[in-house]
Structures are given as structure tokens and as C-alpha cells.
Amino acid sequence: AAKELLGVAMNRLNKFYNPKMYKAAPKRELSAEDRIAVNMGGTPPPTEVPGGIAGTGVTALQEGAPMLVQVAAHRAMGADTAALPPPPETFGAYTTKGQESSGVLAMVDLLIADLDKEMQEMEVEEKDAQADYEKYVQDSADKRAQDSKSIQEKESAKADAEAALGKAELDKKSKEKESYATATILKDLHLECDWLLSNFEMRK
């Protein structure tokens, strides 16, 4: 929008300082009904006032509806103009000065060039930021995939360890039962041997 405003200002300056570069507004095309009315001697319909900022048609920076302010002050000034003395004499008729006009136009061109440069820098920064963001998203996705794979591997290892622990506990219980049975047999054998030894003389 700023560049459009500068373009409008440049075109209006060209109207006075460089008429060859001035681009006039496109002529209004009448509708078929309006053309018939004009051909019959009527008057063409009034031209619509261009909207936007200062009648330029640029509305990007315009936040609210256009308004007039300090109307009373303007009216008071208009009422006092009749009593004002005539303006002082000047240095003569107005004449254009090529050097000043070219300086004004060059300044507007410089503003447009600076604006283009800033817009290009902003586009490059936006592209870099977008690339960094996409890389960050991709890195995050890769890390999530690696973490998910690591969690699956750890859960699988945990399940294997739990299965091995369960098998070891079953083996332990089985060994304990075998050991208890063996100890019982040994106890019985000891008792029987002791009885035999104690009654050996009597049985002889």
C-alpha cells in the first residue's frame, strides 16, 4: 500500500514537473443507457468520487471511514477572509525550476527504491524463517520417531526380562520342591540308619 501511495504521489508530481511521464486517469465509459441519454441531449451522470486515502483509491492503510474535522474552525476562517488585507506582492509569475523538480522526483524514486529493498529483505527473512521452521519441524518429527522406536525397543526388552524373571521364579520353586523332597528322603534315611544302629545288637 505504501508503494501504491508513492506511485500515486509520483504520478501527481509528474503532472506538474514532467507532463510527459504523467499517466492520466482512464476515461469513464458510459453505459448504453447513459450514452442514449447523452445523445438525446441529456447530461452524463456524475463521476463517482474515488475512495481510499486522499482520493487515491488506495484503501490498504485506511482503518476507518473518511471524516472531516475542525469544520467550525474552517467556517470561522472563511468568515474572516473578507476582512483580510490583500496578499503581498511576490517575485513575479511562477516558473518551474527543473533542478528542484528533478530533485523532488529523485527523492520519491529513492523512497520507492528503499521501499523495494526493504520489501526484498523482508521476503528473504521470511523465506529463511520458513526454512528454519520447516527444518525444526522435520527434526522434531525425526526425534519423535527415534524416541518412539527407542521406547518400543525398551518395552520389548522389559517384556523379555519379565518373561525371563517369571521362568526363573518357576525354576526356583521347582528346585526348592526338589530340594525339600531330597532333604526329606535324607532325613528318613538318617532316622532309619540311626534306628538300625541303635537296634543292631538286639537284632543280632
PDB file of all heavy atoms in Angstrom, residues 125-157:
ATOM      1  N   GLU A 125      14.073 -12.662   4.591  1.00  0.00           N
ATOM      2  CA  GLU A 125      13.998 -13.056   6.001  1.00  0.00           C
ATOM      3  C   GLU A 125      12.827 -14.005   6.236  1.00  0.00           C
ATOM      4  O   GLU A 125      12.945 -14.965   7.011  1.00  0.00           O
ATOM      5  CB  GLU A 125      13.855 -11.811   6.880  1.00  0.00           C
ATOM      6  CG  GLU A 125      15.116 -10.950   6.923  1.00  0.00           C
ATOM      7  CD  GLU A 125      14.906  -9.685   7.737  1.00  0.00           C
ATOM      8  OE1 GLU A 125      13.767  -9.480   8.210  1.00  0.00           O
ATOM      9  OE2 GLU A 125      15.869  -8.913   7.905  1.00  0.00           O
ATOM     10  N   GLU A 126      11.698 -13.740   5.568  1.00  0.00           N
ATOM     11  CA  GLU A 126      10.542 -14.618   5.732  1.00  0.00           C
ATOM     12  C   GLU A 126      10.835 -16.007   5.178  1.00  0.00           C
ATOM     13  O   GLU A 126      10.468 -17.024   5.789  1.00  0.00           O
ATOM     14  CB  GLU A 126       9.330 -14.010   5.028  1.00  0.00           C
ATOM     15  CG  GLU A 126       8.052 -14.802   5.213  1.00  0.00           C
ATOM     16  CD  GLU A 126       6.859 -14.162   4.540  1.00  0.00           C
ATOM     17  OE1 GLU A 126       7.025 -13.068   3.970  1.00  0.00           O
ATOM     18  OE2 GLU A 126       5.771 -14.757   4.574  1.00  0.00           O
ATOM     19  N   LYS A 127      11.521 -16.069   4.014  1.00  0.00           N
ATOM     20  CA  LYS A 127      11.868 -17.375   3.445  1.00  0.00           C
ATOM     21  C   LYS A 127      12.832 -18.126   4.359  1.00  0.00           C
ATOM     22  O   LYS A 127      12.687 -19.337   4.581  1.00  0.00           O
ATOM     23  CB  LYS A 127      12.490 -17.192   2.060  1.00  0.00           C
ATOM     24  CG  LYS A 127      11.492 -16.781   0.985  1.00  0.00           C
ATOM     25  CD  LYS A 127      12.173 -16.625  -0.364  1.00  0.00           C
ATOM     26  CE  LYS A 127      11.181 -16.194  -1.434  1.00  0.00           C
ATOM     27  NZ  LYS A 127      11.844 -16.003  -2.749  1.00  0.00           N
ATOM     28  N   ASP A 128      13.831 -17.395   4.907  1.00  0.00           N
ATOM     29  CA  ASP A 128      14.777 -18.041   5.828  1.00  0.00           C
ATOM     30  C   ASP A 128      14.060 -18.545   7.079  1.00  0.00           C
ATOM     31  O   ASP A 128      14.315 -19.666   7.554  1.00  0.00           O
ATOM     32  CB  ASP A 128      15.885 -17.056   6.218  1.00  0.00           C
ATOM     33  CG  ASP A 128      16.789 -16.713   5.037  1.00  0.00           C
ATOM     34  OD1 ASP A 128      16.787 -17.483   4.048  1.00  0.00           O
ATOM     35  OD2 ASP A 128      17.495 -15.685   5.095  1.00  0.00           O
ATOM     36  N   ALA A 129      13.164 -17.725   7.616  1.00  0.00           N
ATOM     37  CA  ALA A 129      12.425 -18.142   8.806  1.00  0.00           C
ATOM     38  C   ALA A 129      11.540 -19.352   8.504  1.00  0.00           C
ATOM     39  O   ALA A 129      11.437 -20.277   9.313  1.00  0.00           O
ATOM     40  CB  ALA A 129      11.569 -16.984   9.332  1.00  0.00           C
ATOM     41  N   GLN A 130      10.931 -19.369   7.307  1.00  0.00           N
ATOM     42  CA  GLN A 130      10.101 -20.509   6.922  1.00  0.00           C
ATOM     43  C   GLN A 130      10.940 -21.764   6.777  1.00  0.00           C
ATOM     44  O   GLN A 130      10.540 -22.848   7.214  1.00  0.00           O
ATOM     45  CB  GLN A 130       9.370 -20.197   5.607  1.00  0.00           C
ATOM     46  CG  GLN A 130       8.446 -21.303   5.131  1.00  0.00           C
ATOM     47  CD  GLN A 130       7.257 -21.512   6.034  1.00  0.00           C
ATOM     48  OE1 GLN A 130       6.857 -20.598   6.746  1.00  0.00           O
ATOM     49  NE2 GLN A 130       6.693 -22.691   6.016  1.00  0.00           N
ATOM     50  N   ALA A 131      12.144 -21.619   6.175  1.00  0.00           N
ATOM     51  CA  ALA A 131      13.036 -22.777   6.024  1.00  0.00           C
ATOM     52  C   ALA A 131      13.490 -23.285   7.392  1.00  0.00           C
ATOM     53  O   ALA A 131      13.525 -24.506   7.634  1.00  0.00           O
ATOM     54  CB  ALA A 131      14.242 -22.394   5.168  1.00  0.00           C
ATOM     55  N   ASP A 132      13.835 -22.362   8.295  1.00  0.00           N
ATOM     56  CA  ASP A 132      14.241 -22.775   9.650  1.00  0.00           C
ATOM     57  C   ASP A 132      13.094 -23.486  10.361  1.00  0.00           C
ATOM     58  O   ASP A 132      13.306 -24.498  11.054  1.00  0.00           O
ATOM     59  CB  ASP A 132      14.682 -21.555  10.458  1.00  0.00           C
ATOM     60  CG  ASP A 132      15.975 -20.951   9.925  1.00  0.00           C
ATOM     61  OD1 ASP A 132      16.704 -21.663   9.199  1.00  0.00           O
ATOM     62  OD2 ASP A 132      16.247 -19.767  10.215  1.00  0.00           O
ATOM     63  N   TYR A 133      11.883 -22.967  10.193  1.00  0.00           N
ATOM     64  CA  TYR A 133      10.733 -23.596  10.844  1.00  0.00           C
ATOM     65  C   TYR A 133      10.483 -24.997  10.287  1.00  0.00           C
ATOM     66  O   TYR A 133      10.233 -25.936  11.048  1.00  0.00           O
ATOM     67  CB  TYR A 133       9.497 -22.719  10.647  1.00  0.00           C
ATOM     68  CG  TYR A 133       8.219 -23.357  11.128  1.00  0.00           C
ATOM     69  CD1 TYR A 133       7.952 -23.474  12.486  1.00  0.00           C
ATOM     70  CD2 TYR A 133       7.287 -23.857  10.223  1.00  0.00           C
ATOM     71  CE1 TYR A 133       6.782 -24.059  12.927  1.00  0.00           C
ATOM     72  CE2 TYR A 133       6.122 -24.457  10.658  1.00  0.00           C
ATOM     73  CZ  TYR A 133       5.870 -24.552  12.012  1.00  0.00           C
ATOM     74  OH  TYR A 133       4.720 -25.144  12.452  1.00  0.00           O
ATOM     75  N   GLU A 134      10.561 -25.126   8.960  1.00  0.00           N
ATOM     76  CA  GLU A 134      10.348 -26.446   8.363  1.00  0.00           C
ATOM     77  C   GLU A 134      11.428 -27.431   8.817  1.00  0.00           C
ATOM     78  O   GLU A 134      11.140 -28.611   9.079  1.00  0.00           O
ATOM     79  CB  GLU A 134      10.337 -26.325   6.836  1.00  0.00           C
ATOM     80  CG  GLU A 134       9.117 -25.583   6.293  1.00  0.00           C
ATOM     81  CD  GLU A 134       9.179 -25.401   4.793  1.00  0.00           C
ATOM     82  OE1 GLU A 134      10.205 -25.809   4.188  1.00  0.00           O
ATOM     83  OE2 GLU A 134       8.204 -24.868   4.221  1.00  0.00           O
ATOM     84  N   LYS A 135      12.693 -26.963   8.920  1.00  0.00           N
ATOM     85  CA  LYS A 135      13.768 -27.829   9.404  1.00  0.00           C
ATOM     86  C   LYS A 135      13.519 -28.233  10.857  1.00  0.00           C
ATOM     87  O   LYS A 135      13.729 -29.396  11.245  1.00  0.00           O
ATOM     88  CB  LYS A 135      15.114 -27.113   9.275  1.00  0.00           C
ATOM     89  CG  LYS A 135      16.314 -27.981   9.651  1.00  0.00           C
ATOM     90  CD  LYS A 135      17.610 -27.233   9.432  1.00  0.00           C
ATOM     91  CE  LYS A 135      18.813 -28.126   9.753  1.00  0.00           C
ATOM     92  NZ  LYS A 135      18.804 -28.592  11.146  1.00  0.00           N
ATOM     93  N   TYR A 136      13.057 -27.277  11.662  1.00  0.00           N
ATOM     94  CA  TYR A 136      12.768 -27.573  13.065  1.00  0.00           C
ATOM     95  C   TYR A 136      11.653 -28.617  13.171  1.00  0.00           C
ATOM     96  O   TYR A 136      11.734 -29.555  13.981  1.00  0.00           O
ATOM     97  CB  TYR A 136      12.376 -26.290  13.790  1.00  0.00           C
ATOM     98  CG  TYR A 136      11.858 -26.506  15.185  1.00  0.00           C
ATOM     99  CD1 TYR A 136      12.732 -26.805  16.229  1.00  0.00           C
ATOM    100  CD2 TYR A 136      10.499 -26.407  15.466  1.00  0.00           C
ATOM    101  CE1 TYR A 136      12.259 -27.010  17.507  1.00  0.00           C
ATOM    102  CE2 TYR A 136      10.024 -26.610  16.748  1.00  0.00           C
ATOM    103  CZ  TYR A 136      10.905 -26.908  17.764  1.00  0.00           C
ATOM    104  OH  TYR A 136      10.431 -27.123  19.031  1.00  0.00           O
ATOM    105  N   VAL A 137      10.608 -28.452  12.347  1.00  0.00           N
ATOM    106  CA  VAL A 137       9.501 -29.417  12.367  1.00  0.00           C
ATOM    107  C   VAL A 137       9.988 -30.800  11.941  1.00  0.00           C
ATOM    108  O   VAL A 137       9.626 -31.820  12.545  1.00  0.00           O
ATOM    109  CB  VAL A 137       8.353 -28.922  11.461  1.00  0.00           C
ATOM    110  CG1 VAL A 137       7.301 -30.002  11.277  1.00  0.00           C
ATOM    111  CG2 VAL A 137       7.720 -27.667  12.044  1.00  0.00           C
ATOM    112  N   GLN A 138      10.848 -30.841  10.888  1.00  0.00           N
ATOM    113  CA  GLN A 138      11.364 -32.126  10.424  1.00  0.00           C
ATOM    114  C   GLN A 138      12.257 -32.776  11.480  1.00  0.00           C
ATOM    115  O   GLN A 138      12.152 -33.980  11.741  1.00  0.00           O
ATOM    116  CB  GLN A 138      12.153 -31.923   9.125  1.00  0.00           C
ATOM    117  CG  GLN A 138      12.645 -33.214   8.487  1.00  0.00           C
ATOM    118  CD  GLN A 138      11.513 -34.126   8.066  1.00  0.00           C
ATOM    119  OE1 GLN A 138      10.471 -33.654   7.609  1.00  0.00           O
ATOM    120  NE2 GLN A 138      11.680 -35.421   8.245  1.00  0.00           N
ATOM    121  N   ASP A 139      13.122 -31.968  12.103  1.00  0.00           N
ATOM    122  CA  ASP A 139      13.985 -32.502  13.168  1.00  0.00           C
ATOM    123  C   ASP A 139      13.147 -33.020  14.336  1.00  0.00           C
ATOM    124  O   ASP A 139      13.453 -34.083  14.913  1.00  0.00           O
ATOM    125  CB  ASP A 139      14.956 -31.430  13.655  1.00  0.00           C
ATOM    126  CG  ASP A 139      15.973 -31.048  12.593  1.00  0.00           C
ATOM    127  OD1 ASP A 139      16.144 -31.836  11.627  1.00  0.00           O
ATOM    128  OD2 ASP A 139      16.597 -29.976  12.707  1.00  0.00           O
ATOM    129  N   SER A 140      12.103 -32.307  14.680  1.00  0.00           N
ATOM    130  CA  SER A 140      11.233 -32.745  15.772  1.00  0.00           C
ATOM    131  C   SER A 140      10.538 -34.056  15.418  1.00  0.00           C
ATOM    132  O   SER A 140      10.425 -34.958  16.257  1.00  0.00           O
ATOM    133  CB  SER A 140      10.189 -31.667  16.084  1.00  0.00           C
ATOM    134  OG  SER A 140      10.808 -30.465  16.490  1.00  0.00           O
ATOM    135  N   ALA A 141      10.088 -34.166  14.160  1.00  0.00           N
ATOM    136  CA  ALA A 141       9.439 -35.406  13.732  1.00  0.00           C
ATOM    137  C   ALA A 141      10.428 -36.571  13.765  1.00  0.00           C
ATOM    138  O   ALA A 141      10.083 -37.684  14.207  1.00  0.00           O
ATOM    139  CB  ALA A 141       8.851 -35.238  12.329  1.00  0.00           C
ATOM    140  N   ASP A 142      11.674 -36.330  13.300  1.00  0.00           N
ATOM    141  CA  ASP A 142      12.688 -37.399  13.340  1.00  0.00           C
ATOM    142  C   ASP A 142      12.985 -37.811  14.775  1.00  0.00           C
ATOM    143  O   ASP A 142      13.107 -39.013  15.085  1.00  0.00           O
ATOM    144  CB  ASP A 142      13.971 -36.922  12.653  1.00  0.00           C
ATOM    145  CG  ASP A 142      13.770 -36.687  11.163  1.00  0.00           C
ATOM    146  OD1 ASP A 142      12.797 -37.236  10.610  1.00  0.00           O
ATOM    147  OD2 ASP A 142      14.576 -35.969  10.549  1.00  0.00           O
ATOM    148  N   LYS A 143      13.089 -36.836  15.669  1.00  0.00           N
ATOM    149  CA  LYS A 143      13.378 -37.156  17.079  1.00  0.00           C
ATOM    150  C   LYS A 143      12.227 -37.941  17.698  1.00  0.00           C
ATOM    151  O   LYS A 143      12.439 -38.885  18.467  1.00  0.00           O
ATOM    152  CB  LYS A 143      13.632 -35.870  17.866  1.00  0.00           C
ATOM    153  CG  LYS A 143      14.150 -36.143  19.273  1.00  0.00           C
ATOM    154  CD  LYS A 143      14.534 -34.870  19.969  1.00  0.00           C
ATOM    155  CE  LYS A 143      15.185 -35.150  21.318  1.00  0.00           C
ATOM    156  NZ  LYS A 143      14.368 -35.985  22.191  1.00  0.00           N
ATOM    157  N   ARG A 144      10.980 -37.532  17.368  1.00  0.00           N
ATOM    158  CA  ARG A 144       9.831 -38.282  17.889  1.00  0.00           C
ATOM    159  C   ARG A 144       9.849 -39.718  17.385  1.00  0.00           C
ATOM    160  O   ARG A 144       9.539 -40.661  18.135  1.00  0.00           O
ATOM    161  CB  ARG A 144       8.524 -37.592  17.481  1.00  0.00           C
ATOM    162  CG  ARG A 144       8.199 -36.362  18.286  1.00  0.00           C
ATOM    163  CD  ARG A 144       6.736 -35.973  18.133  1.00  0.00           C
ATOM    164  NE  ARG A 144       6.394 -35.729  16.744  1.00  0.00           N
ATOM    165  CZ  ARG A 144       6.499 -34.551  16.154  1.00  0.00           C
ATOM    166  NH1 ARG A 144       6.962 -33.518  16.829  1.00  0.00           N
ATOM    167  NH2 ARG A 144       6.159 -34.397  14.895  1.00  0.00           N
ATOM    168  N   ALA A 145      10.207 -39.894  16.100  1.00  0.00           N
ATOM    169  CA  ALA A 145      10.271 -41.249  15.555  1.00  0.00           C
ATOM    170  C   ALA A 145      11.358 -42.063  16.263  1.00  0.00           C
ATOM    171  O   ALA A 145      11.148 -43.241  16.615  1.00  0.00           O
ATOM    172  CB  ALA A 145      10.536 -41.194  14.050  1.00  0.00           C
ATOM    173  N   GLN A 146      12.524 -41.449  16.488  1.00  0.00           N
ATOM    174  CA  GLN A 146      13.600 -42.150  17.197  1.00  0.00           C
ATOM    175  C   GLN A 146      13.196 -42.482  18.632  1.00  0.00           C
ATOM    176  O   GLN A 146      13.441 -43.584  19.126  1.00  0.00           O
ATOM    177  CB  GLN A 146      14.867 -41.301  17.185  1.00  0.00           C
ATOM    178  CG  GLN A 146      15.501 -41.153  15.808  1.00  0.00           C
ATOM    179  CD  GLN A 146      16.709 -40.233  15.826  1.00  0.00           C
ATOM    180  OE1 GLN A 146      17.057 -39.676  16.867  1.00  0.00           O
ATOM    181  NE2 GLN A 146      17.334 -40.055  14.674  1.00  0.00           N
ATOM    182  N   ASP A 147      12.561 -41.526  19.310  1.00  0.00           N
ATOM    183  CA  ASP A 147      12.118 -41.778  20.681  1.00  0.00           C
ATOM    184  C   ASP A 147      11.074 -42.895  20.724  1.00  0.00           C
ATOM    185  O   ASP A 147      11.101 -43.748  21.623  1.00  0.00           O
ATOM    186  CB  ASP A 147      11.535 -40.496  21.291  1.00  0.00           C
ATOM    187  CG  ASP A 147      12.604 -39.436  21.494  1.00  0.00           C
ATOM    188  OD1 ASP A 147      13.802 -39.791  21.486  1.00  0.00           O
ATOM    189  OD2 ASP A 147      12.251 -38.244  21.650  1.00  0.00           O
ATOM    190  N   SER A 148      10.155 -42.879  19.756  1.00  0.00           N
ATOM    191  CA  SER A 148       9.129 -43.934  19.706  1.00  0.00           C
ATOM    192  C   SER A 148       9.773 -45.303  19.476  1.00  0.00           C
ATOM    193  O   SER A 148       9.408 -46.290  20.118  1.00  0.00           O
ATOM    194  CB  SER A 148       8.127 -43.620  18.602  1.00  0.00           C
ATOM    195  OG  SER A 148       7.172 -44.651  18.502  1.00  0.00           O
ATOM    196  N   LYS A 149      10.759 -45.351  18.565  1.00  0.00           N
ATOM    197  CA  LYS A 149      11.451 -46.615  18.313  1.00  0.00           C
ATOM    198  C   LYS A 149      12.210 -47.070  19.552  1.00  0.00           C
ATOM    199  O   LYS A 149      12.189 -48.261  19.913  1.00  0.00           O
ATOM    200  CB  LYS A 149      12.416 -46.439  17.141  1.00  0.00           C
ATOM    201  CG  LYS A 149      13.138 -47.715  16.744  1.00  0.00           C
ATOM    202  CD  LYS A 149      14.053 -47.460  15.558  1.00  0.00           C
ATOM    203  CE  LYS A 149      14.809 -48.734  15.184  1.00  0.00           C
ATOM    204  NZ  LYS A 149      15.717 -48.501  14.047  1.00  0.00           N
ATOM    205  N   SER A 150      12.871 -46.128  20.242  1.00  0.00           N
ATOM    206  CA  SER A 150      13.612 -46.479  21.459  1.00  0.00           C
ATOM    207  C   SER A 150      12.673 -46.992  22.538  1.00  0.00           C
ATOM    208  O   SER A 150      12.981 -47.966  23.245  1.00  0.00           O
ATOM    209  CB  SER A 150      14.377 -45.255  21.951  1.00  0.00           C
ATOM    210  OG  SER A 150      15.046 -45.529  23.164  1.00  0.00           O
ATOM    211  N   ILE A 151      11.498 -46.341  22.669  1.00  0.00           N
ATOM    212  CA  ILE A 151      10.525 -46.797  23.667  1.00  0.00           C
ATOM    213  C   ILE A 151      10.042 -48.197  23.339  1.00  0.00           C
ATOM    214  O   ILE A 151       9.908 -49.057  24.228  1.00  0.00           O
ATOM    215  CB  ILE A 151       9.346 -45.800  23.732  1.00  0.00           C
ATOM    216  CG1 ILE A 151       9.809 -44.485  24.365  1.00  0.00           C
ATOM    217  CG2 ILE A 151       8.185 -46.379  24.522  1.00  0.00           C
ATOM    218  CD1 ILE A 151       8.779 -43.380  24.303  1.00  0.00           C
ATOM    219  N   GLN A 152       9.775 -48.467  22.055  1.00  0.00           N
ATOM    220  CA  GLN A 152       9.340 -49.810  21.665  1.00  0.00           C
ATOM    221  C   GLN A 152      10.412 -50.851  21.975  1.00  0.00           C
ATOM    222  O   GLN A 152      10.114 -51.945  22.476  1.00  0.00           O
ATOM    223  CB  GLN A 152       8.996 -49.828  20.175  1.00  0.00           C
ATOM    224  CG  GLN A 152       7.727 -49.047  19.830  1.00  0.00           C
ATOM    225  CD  GLN A 152       7.453 -49.044  18.345  1.00  0.00           C
ATOM    226  OE1 GLN A 152       8.239 -49.559  17.557  1.00  0.00           O
ATOM    227  NE2 GLN A 152       6.334 -48.448  17.953  1.00  0.00           N
ATOM    228  N   GLU A 153      11.686 -50.512  21.683  1.00  0.00           N
ATOM    229  CA  GLU A 153      12.762 -51.447  21.983  1.00  0.00           C
ATOM    230  C   GLU A 153      12.885 -51.690  23.484  1.00  0.00           C
ATOM    231  O   GLU A 153      13.073 -52.839  23.934  1.00  0.00           O
ATOM    232  CB  GLU A 153      14.079 -50.900  21.423  1.00  0.00           C
ATOM    233  CG  GLU A 153      14.149 -50.894  19.891  1.00  0.00           C
ATOM    234  CD  GLU A 153      15.413 -50.251  19.383  1.00  0.00           C
ATOM    235  OE1 GLU A 153      16.168 -49.695  20.216  1.00  0.00           O
ATOM    236  OE2 GLU A 153      15.664 -50.290  18.158  1.00  0.00           O
ATOM    237  N   LYS A 154      12.764 -50.618  24.289  1.00  0.00           N
ATOM    238  CA  LYS A 154      12.859 -50.781  25.735  1.00  0.00           C
ATOM    239  C   LYS A 154      11.685 -51.582  26.283  1.00  0.00           C
ATOM    240  O   LYS A 154      11.850 -52.413  27.192  1.00  0.00           O
ATOM    241  CB  LYS A 154      12.927 -49.411  26.403  1.00  0.00           C
ATOM    242  CG  LYS A 154      14.250 -48.686  26.159  1.00  0.00           C
ATOM    243  CD  LYS A 154      14.264 -47.323  26.817  1.00  0.00           C
ATOM    244  CE  LYS A 154      15.595 -46.622  26.567  1.00  0.00           C
ATOM    245  NZ  LYS A 154      15.640 -45.270  27.171  1.00  0.00           N
ATOM    246  N   GLU A 155      10.484 -51.340  25.740  1.00  0.00           N
ATOM    247  CA  GLU A 155       9.329 -52.115  26.187  1.00  0.00           C
ATOM    248  C   GLU A 155       9.491 -53.587  25.821  1.00  0.00           C
ATOM    249  O   GLU A 155       9.125 -54.476  26.606  1.00  0.00           O
ATOM    250  CB  GLU A 155       8.051 -51.549  25.563  1.00  0.00           C
ATOM    251  CG  GLU A 155       7.628 -50.209  26.151  1.00  0.00           C
ATOM    252  CD  GLU A 155       6.375 -49.673  25.506  1.00  0.00           C
ATOM    253  OE1 GLU A 155       5.971 -50.251  24.458  1.00  0.00           O
ATOM    254  OE2 GLU A 155       5.807 -48.690  26.019  1.00  0.00           O
ATOM    255  N   SER A 156      10.044 -53.863  24.633  1.00  0.00           N
ATOM    256  CA  SER A 156      10.284 -55.249  24.234  1.00  0.00           C
ATOM    257  C   SER A 156      11.316 -55.904  25.153  1.00  0.00           C
ATOM    258  O   SER A 156      11.139 -57.046  25.603  1.00  0.00           O
ATOM    259  CB  SER A 156      10.760 -55.293  22.784  1.00  0.00           C
ATOM    260  OG  SER A 156      11.063 -56.620  22.398  1.00  0.00           O
ATOM    261  N   ALA A 157      12.401 -55.168  25.476  1.00  0.00           N
ATOM    262  CA  ALA A 157      13.415 -55.704  26.380  1.00  0.00           C
ATOM    263  C   ALA A 157      12.834 -55.934  27.771  1.00  0.00           C
ATOM    264  O   ALA A 157      13.144 -56.940  28.444  1.00  0.00           O
ATOM    265  CB  ALA A 157      14.596 -54.737  26.450  1.00  0.00           C
TER     266      ALA A 157
END
